[in-house]
Amino acid sequence: MSAKAEGSWLADMLKRLLHEKYKAQVPGVRRISADIAAANDGKTISHGHIHNMLTGTADNLTDHTRSRLARFFG
């Protein structure tokens, strides 16, 4: 699978999960980053990396990023 195809899959999944979590009003990436920190004892994902994941341009996800997303989304 190409990086672009994988990135698109990731972006689609994250957008769906964010809509489920926040309902109708998904906040901006800075607020999402702050909410991730609140769910992860202060450890966050940068708003720039969140933006890259949502636009499908993130190259890869580290174990830390996956773990923080999993805890954030429950």
Side-chain angles (χ1 to χ4, degrees), residues 41-56:
D41 303 319
K43 296 174 184 158
T44 193
I45 302 169
S46 74
H47 66 276
H49 191 53
I50 293 168
H51 171 79
N52 291 344
M53 288 185 292
L54 290 171
T55 59

